[in-house]
Amino acid sequence: MNATAKQESFFNKIKAMVVKTSRSIIWRGHSQDNDISEKIAQKIQKNSYDFSQQFHKDTFTPPYLSLVEQLEVDDEQIFQAAVFNLTNIAKSRNRYSQDIIGILDNYLQKDSHKLERKDYVAHKLNEIHKLIKK
């Protein structure tokens, strides 16, 4: 009887292990890391709704306007990069070229700027004019 009791005990342990394992395979439960509370879910929904109701502007700001501010920077490398990029935009986009030419002409008209910078701007303006004439 002792051997039979040991066998039954062994089978009971295997059954218990199978029952435990099968439950964890079939029912995985919810991960606590990904759970959010009801308040957080409501807040996300409210923010999403508020964002969808906001007025989005229909205006478009041309990309070269952010470069115009860099013409007044003291760092020479930033200044030259701004003029270089403005020149490339004017060369590649005809609809912006007249505005950029106007901006660079206005820069040349101001007396407060250094002569080296004015020469660089004048050189780049000549490049734009040559390309437009072609």
Side-chain angles (χ1 to χ4, degrees), residues 31 72 101 105 111:
S31 171
E72 303 301 325
I101 288 171
D105 278 336
D111 292 331

Side-chain angles (χ1 to χ4, degrees), residues 8-45:
E8 284 181 25
S9 166
F10 178 71
F11 285 126
N12 287 337
K13 286 181 183 178
I14 290 177
K15 284 181 186 178
M17 190 173 12
V18 168
V19 168
K20 264 187 178 176
T21 308
S22 65
R23 269 192 235 139
S24 66
I25 290 173
I26 295 170
W27 176 256
R28 294 224 169 215
H30 296 291
S31 171
Q32 296 299 324
D33 295 336
N34 294 329
D35 285 347
I36 59 173
S37 69
E38 184 178 345
K39 284 185 177 183
I40 293 173
Q42 287 174 349
K43 187 174 182 178
I44 291 171
Q45 276 186 319

